[in-house]
Amino acid sequence: MSAPIQALAALATGEPLQPFSYTPPELGPEHVEVAVESCGLCHSDLSMLDNDWGGSSYPFVPGHEVVGRVVALGSHTKRLQLGDRVGLGWFSSSCGCCSHCLSGDQNLCLTAEGTIVGRHGGFATRVRAHWSWLTPLPDAIDPASAGPLFCGGITVFNPIVECGVLPTDRVGVIGIGGLGHLALKFLRAWGCEVVAFTSSEAKRSEALQLGAHSTLNSRDAGELAQAAGSFDFILNTTNVSLDWGAYMGALKPRGRLHTVGAVAEPIALGAFALIQGQKSLSGSPLGSPATVATMLEFAARHGIAPTIETFPMSRANEALEHLRSGKARYRVVLSQDLD
């Protein structure tokens, strides 16, 4: 019989988190149980908490940026050992047999399981996942701040790899927040010329400290016009509607505008914005387990870590309001104190 797990859950849409205990089923043969040491707080947790995307179920336990120690292994797990420190992100399982999984694109599996979709996440003492989605943490990475790498980090690192961004490219990053600040750090270390698009004067100096070589005021039509035809790649990390035509105009021929921000409204672009200059518009989810491992190696080599604020997990409601109000700089991590 499995031991009860202590967690924090919302019992209905819009309700605050409260103590919640549940007893999981017996551990599956390919699954692993992890004792949670810390868990990042992501805007996706807020969206799921508020059922913004329509797929939430309650009681709802948030948390999909987990760092912890392996405490139990199913009989058919591979690669992991008891005591290993691992990270878990948005995905907790995939089918392993579809064409996407077999070609190494497990993140594109049409039946992939979300860590907080229809199951309980990491705002808890323990969490479970398929062994393939638990990635060992390199010794050079600080576990106390590593959680956001497993969602925010891989979200912005994956398109650098998938879209073939070159060290010689001039790259723009729209939005200097939880995703954007990590994009600046990764792209600077990748070797690119990095420009931060920001509408906040207060964030200009911060963007330069985070890795941008220069900044551009995204609300200044004149600055955007002067940047026409100068970028190889522009990464959007915001979830709001933008002047998409202006950003397409800022691209060089064969340039790409790529979004990882979950913009709810349709992206309005005329066909000629793409045809003239042979430009492209694309998007991506998080990366495969192999890309997550590559990201961690790259972060360890270059000393890249999320810029975080910390709260005890027992104060998760306070942390949620801090994030909801836009005050977080730049990611929030909850440290375990529910034992």
Side-chain angles (χ1 to χ4, degrees):
M1 184 74 178
S2 299
I5 293 176
Q6 306 305 316
L8 296 173
L11 302 185
T13 305
E15 289 193 4
L17 301 180
Q18 64 182 57
F20 173 72
S21 177
Y22 70 97
T23 300
E26 290 301 312
L27 192 64
E30 295 191 347
H31 282 70
V32 177
E33 187 163 285
V34 176
V36 178
E37 296 177 323
S38 63
C39 188
L41 172 56
C42 175
H43 260 287
S44 297
D45 291 307
L46 282 177
S47 296
M48 290 292 293
L49 184 66
D50 297 340
N51 200 19
D52 290 340
W53 300 331
S56 303
S57 57
Y58 301 87
F60 172 70
V61 179
H64 59 278
E65 296 182 341
V66 177
V67 171
R69 295 278 190 181
V70 173
V71 293
L73 294 163
S75 58
H76 293 158
T77 56
K78 299 176 177 66
R79 188 167 53 96
L80 300 176
Q81 303 293 326
L82 291 175
D84 284 352
R85 179 174 274 131
V86 297
L88 172 66
W90 178 261
F91 295 114
S92 54
S93 183
S94 49
C95 77
C97 60
C98 68
S99 60
H100 305 297
C101 287
L102 292 173
S103 61
D105 291 326
Q106 297 94 327
N107 57 313
L108 303 182
C109 175
L110 297 179
T111 59
E113 177 185 75
T115 300
I116 58 171
V117 182
R119 66 191 298 279
H120 299 318
F123 285 17
T125 52
R126 286 173 283 130
V127 70
R128 291 179 172 184
H130 190 274
W131 66 265
S132 63
W133 282 101
L134 292 166
T135 309
L137 200 67
D139 292 340
I141 291 183
D142 175 19
S145 63
L149 290 174
F150 291 92
C151 181
I154 188 58
T155 295
V156 297
F157 185 84
N158 187 53
I160 298 173
V161 175
E162 292 294 322
C163 299
V165 175
L166 300 174
T168 52
D169 284 346
R170 187 170 194 250
V171 177
V173 177
I174 306 171
I176 313 306
L179 293 175
H181 91 283
L182 281 166
L184 294 180
K185 294 184 180 188
F186 279 128
L187 287 163
R188 178 66 178 249
W190 201 258
C192 302
E193 179 188 351
V194 186
V195 179
F197 291 84
T198 178
S199 60
S200 169
E201 286 296 324
K203 286 189 177 181
R204 280 181 173 249
S205 61
E206 294 178 39
L208 296 174
Q209 293 171 3
L210 290 165
H213 292 91
S214 60
T215 63
L216 192 153
N217 187 340
S218 56
R219 289 183 177 174
D220 188 322
E223 286 194 30
L224 279 173
Q226 289 176 5
S230 65
F231 288 92
D232 299 282
F233 185 77
I234 296 176
L235 180 66
N236 173 50
T237 69
T238 71
N239 61 0
V240 297
S241 290
L242 301 170
D243 184 349
W244 303 108
Y247 286 108
M248 292 299 293
L251 292 171
K252 296 177 182 179
R254 297 184 185 274
R256 181 192 295 261
L257 174 60
H258 188 90
T259 187
V260 294
V263 184
E265 296 80 13
I267 295 177
L269 276 174
F272 279 108
L274 302 174
I275 293 171
Q276 292 176 339
Q278 200 170 318
K279 300 174 184 180
S280 58
L281 171 68
S282 56
S284 62
L286 293 83
S288 68
T291 309
V292 172
T294 299
M295 174 200 66
L296 293 175
E297 293 172 6
F298 186 81
R301 184 181 308 143
H302 293 280
I304 295 172
T307 300
I308 67 165
E309 298 177 79
T310 59
F311 289 76
M313 194 170 288
S314 60
R315 291 168 52 196
N317 284 316
E318 181 181 339
L320 283 163
E321 289 310 309
H322 185 68
L323 177 62
R324 196 187 296 273
S325 67
K327 296 177 181 177
R329 291 290 186 275
Y330 279 96
R331 305 289 291 197
V332 174
V333 174
L334 306 180
S335 57
Q336 182 62 264
D337 68 341
L338 300 183
D339 292 330

